[in-house]
Amino acid sequence: ILIENTEDERLRRRWVATSVISNLCLLGYFKYADFFIDTLDRAFGAGIPHLNIVLPIGISFYTFKTLSYTIDVYRRELRACRSWLQYATFVTYFPELVAGPIVRASVFIPQMGRTLRPSWRRAAVGLQIILLGVTKKLLIADRLATLVDPVFGAPASYDSLTVLTAVIAYSLQIYCDFSGYSDMAIGVSRIIGFDLPENFDMPYLSTSITEFWRRWHITLSSWLRDYLYIPLGGNRKGRGRTYLNLFLTMLLGGLWHGAGWTFVLWGFLHGIGLAFHKMWMQIRPQHRARFWQPLSWLATYAFVCLGWVFFRASSFSVALTVLRKVTWVEPGGIQFLYLPFFLLLPLIVLGHVIGRAAAALDDPVAVRRSRRVDAPRWLQWAYRGVRTPFALRPHPAAGLYVLLPLPGFVGAFVLTIWILIVYLFSSLQTSPFIYFQF
């Protein structure tokens, strides 16, 4: 409120600096104090005792939320919230607090004027999105964890093919685990009456690392772009500065994910990848783009999996052992043929095919104009010419989901079969959401 009411630009900068620094200091103390103490001990033998700080729930996410709110008010892109209750609700809104999506005040606070009455239409849509998230988490991610956890726990014990399979399985596990949580948060919020922004858009279909970051953890990517990359200068200060800004943005993004040098290296790799792709786009012949797409997709996926090795590994030594295994430098070891991986892989591919077909055949421009979410045209046959009764008017930032609001007995039958499949084939040993640790 002080930032909004002050006309003196120098004083406004002081207020926003006070807000930003205090937020970052809190995050730095709770999340990174022991990390830097450990680094100093290893480098110089300082012998500084660890503080053993307990990490507050959701601090990485609500810090970014509050930072974006203050900065938007400073930029005069958002009016300051006059209600303490509304602001506190925005900061502590629990469904998305512990793992995202990162919801900005400009999206959330205006929706608090809605009447939060129960709505069967919103419940029908929200429950399907929740069920989609539960399917990703319990049926796919937790199943794949049975392969990933032991292999990354002792990669030297397994043969190259098993370790390579585990790396691919982890790429699918972290996607289904994280997007599954986001789906559940979005679905619960849809039932309550809030429309949260979409957080994933089939990222493994990307044909470049730049496209991958437009599709993966979309709310974080856009946050880093708007509040870090652009303030650093973006692409406005020449090519060299553009590459440096991309690199620094991803390096800090890696550190945000976790207090460990493996996360810093993961961000380093993606920063180098983004800078290299930016350079490549400025020199490659555009008429060959379609010809190179399959190879571009393979190279992008391989690069992302390389990054996931460091993201998942508990230390550099473990990561290097995994890399030696997947490159067949040390091929020997136990062969672990995990059958559910080969059964789930076609299901994941089918889901992407359906999503790609829906995105290609639907009319997102018309949907955005009317702010209605209907069944895509390729499913209209299920209604025999009758439009879905589950159309609703979401917030413009909310994503479009491929839903199956089938009428009557058919809908109940499909829903029952879906629930039974999830119940019967889900992993009995569930694991915490991967992003809870951040």
Side-chain angles (χ1 to χ4, degrees), residues 10-25:
R10 181 180 298 178
L11 189 56
R12 294 181 76 244
R13 284 198 295 268
R14 288 178 182 174
W15 281 122
V16 74
T18 301
S19 174
V20 170
I21 292 171
S22 61
N23 271 286
L24 292 179
C25 285

Side-chain angles (χ1 to χ4, degrees), residues 85 106 184 200 215 227 257 324 340 342 370 410:
L85 179 61
S106 58
M184 284 186 257
F200 290 88
R215 292 169 172 264
Y227 302 107
H257 274 84
R324 287 196 296 268
F342 299 98
S370 64
V410 175

Side-chain angles (χ1 to χ4, degrees), residues 28-211:
Y29 170 75
F30 282 104
K31 190 168 182 177
Y32 301 106
D34 280 333
F35 167 65
F36 286 118
I37 288 173
D38 183 66
T39 301
L40 290 173
D41 285 346
R42 290 174 182 270
F44 306 106
I48 305 173
H50 280 207
L51 302 177
N52 296 319
I53 301 168
V54 178
L55 190 66
I57 292 175
I59 188 171
S60 295
F61 290 90
Y62 66 68
T63 299
F64 271 24
K65 289 168 67 175
T66 53
L67 283 172
S68 66
Y69 165 75
T70 309
I71 295 170
D72 284 349
V73 172
Y74 171 74
R75 292 173 175 174
R76 301 200 184 281
E77 296 174 357
L78 178 70
R79 294 295 306 275
C81 180
R82 260 61 182 179
S83 167
W84 171 258
L85 179 61
Q86 286 191 357
Y87 177 76
T89 303
F90 157 67
V91 175
T92 62
Y93 182 64
F94 191 76
E96 47 82 24
L97 180 66
V98 285
I102 301 172
V103 183
R104 302 189 191 187
S106 58
V107 172
F108 189 88
I109 292 179
Q111 297 187 60
M112 298 188 73
R114 291 178 172 179
T115 301
L116 301 182
R117 289 195 299 247
S119 166
W120 283 111
R121 292 182 177 182
R122 298 190 68 86
V125 173
L127 286 171
Q128 287 191 63
I129 299 175
I130 292 171
L131 185 55
L132 177 62
V134 170
T135 303
K136 289 179 180 179
K137 171 61 176 170
L138 296 182
L139 187 63
I140 300 176
D142 286 351
R143 279 285 182 186
L144 295 177
T146 305
L147 167 65
V148 172
D149 290 347
V151 173
F152 273 88
S157 303
Y158 295 90
D159 73 333
S160 292
L161 184 60
T162 300
V163 176
L164 178 60
T165 304
V167 171
I168 297 172
Y170 181 69
S171 72
L172 303 177
Q173 179 199 1
I174 191 172
Y175 167 62
C176 291
D177 188 284
F178 189 18
S179 68
Y181 179 92
S182 296
D183 289 342
M184 284 186 257
I186 291 168
V188 169
S189 300
R190 195 67 62 90
I191 295 173
I192 295 172
F194 294 105
D195 295 316
L196 305 189
E198 191 174 16
N199 212 24
F200 290 88
D201 183 17
M202 296 180 288
Y204 291 143
L205 296 180
S206 304
T207 56
S208 72
I209 194 64
T210 302
E211 183 185 358

Side-chain angles (χ1 to χ4, degrees), residues 207-208 280 284-300:
T207 56
S208 72
W280 175 252
R284 75 170 187 168
Q286 294 298 317
H287 66 275
R288 300 176 64 183
R290 186 175 295 276
F291 173 79
W292 285 104
Q293 274 194 351
L295 186 59
S296 298
W297 170 82
L298 182 61
T300 301

